[in-house]
Amino acid sequence: MTTAPMPDFPSGFRWGVSTSAYQIEGAAGADGRGPSIWDTFAHSPGRIVDGSTGDEACDHYHRYAEDVALLAGLGVSAYRFSIAWPRVQPTGTGAANPAGLGFYERLVDGLLDRGVDPVATLFHWDLPQALEDAGGWLNRGTADRFAEYADLVAARLGDRVKLWITLNEPFIHMSLGHGMGVHAPGRMLLFDAFPVAHHQLLGHGLAVAALRARSTSPVAIANNYSPVRLAGDTDADRAAGVAYDALHNRLFTDPLLGQGYPEVPGLDSALIRAGDLDVIAAPVDVLGVNYYNPTSIRAAEEGSPLPFEIVPLTGYPRTAFDWPVAPDGLRDLLLQLRDRYGDRLPPIQVTESGCAYDDGPDADGRVHDPERIAYLAGHVRAVREAIDAGVEVTGYFVWSLLDNWEWAEGFTKRFGLVHVDYATQRRTPKSSYAWFRDQVVRP
Ligand code: FCB
């Protein structure tokens, strides 16, 4: 597929791809790794649509050298991966498991040898099960455990990781994992999940301090954002939009950028101890933005437990996940962040952007994914428009390098630039891989 020429980006702009540990590594029991909440959840009947688990996933743990070669072939300057906490600390506390850290050291050194910057996320949802048994993120102590884990990782890799990301999408971990029970650990607390927000943010702030003590590399957090589109124009619709925006877009960013918590249902101020907001507001060097789609909101029916109702966003093409393809939402979001936070906003890197389609090999074994090319072309252009409008955006990472295990959707959603045949673990670069290299990265 050909697209109109892609725009130029400032020199030094970071092009990358993202993955996460439980979604690709497999090797669930290897080298002393302990169980995480996702092992427990995936092995519970009925939780994952195709009944699969991440036990093997893409077997990246054993095939990482092949995957690093794919990254090098793509020409990207950065690779965002996550470190599995239960590989480093099998029960979430105590001394590091040297074999677990050894894997990430081999990966990081392999990336550096190929000229690819390692960008490490410390928590992409795979909490050690032993910590969950002690209350998980509902327990304030988990924030301290997280900082101890950050210290162990930084002690070993602090001289080589080029950008640290503390948490991935704490909003999704709170809402899907603890509010609605569709992700691990499967709790259904609705608005009583607020402690999970506060303790993740506290863990983030404590981890920032731990990382700074060991490493001079920049530190970030990767938040999920979804700009609100109103599906009605009454005052009640507008109030519903404000409520949803506070929950999804501001709960984890206002306090990080020193503005304290917005008004959200369930916020229990008794949890917030003196000094917590200062810890949380420790300056970060980069704001990671994960964007997939806007959310369409209208006023809730009377008697609803929620102060808003989410309705399908119409007027856009849709991915195989049934998510609307709305690159204008990414541009709007980047401008909104700049307008909302002004000078408090650090430079942004788009740490996830991508789409699922039902890609498979044709008779010649080639995988053509023109929809993904169109999707990425639109979103890359949206970033360029935001830069032209004065927003400082310094990087863009595609989700994902490989087709992988998509949480509650199991193996049914393919997000990769590279197709994976899960029966053989054969990797086949899709047409979007060559397009991204030749038209966007232009190494
Ligand atoms: C994000 C997650 C990532 C992946 C994509 C599709 O919310 O951070 O792991 O599942 O969605």
Side-chain angles (χ1 to χ4, degrees), residues 80 121 165-170 220-224 287-290 351:
R80 174 178 174 235
T121 304
I165 296 179
T166 54
L167 306 175
N168 178 69
E169 299 189 352
I221 185 170
N223 280 326
N224 181 290
L287 181 68
V289 167
N290 293 2
T351 34

Side-chain angles (χ1 to χ4, degrees), residues 23 124-125 168-169 290 292 323 352 399 406-407 415:
Q23 295 182 271
H124 203 122
W125 305 345
N168 178 69
E169 299 189 352
N290 293 2
Y292 289 92
W323 293 351
E352 286 184 26
W399 183 272
E406 175 52 33
W407 309 115
F415 275 91

Side-chain angles (χ1 to χ4, degrees), residues 10-34:
S11 75
F13 190 86
R14 181 178 254 162
W15 295 108
V17 288
S18 291
T19 63
S20 91
Y22 191 69
Q23 295 182 271
I24 64 166
E25 286 179 358
D31 296 335
R33 176 187 179 276

Side-chain angles (χ1 to χ4, degrees), residues 192-211:
D192 290 339
F194 172 72
V196 175
H198 186 61
H199 296 149
Q200 284 186 95
L201 281 168
L202 193 60
H204 156 82
L206 295 169
V208 170
L211 292 167

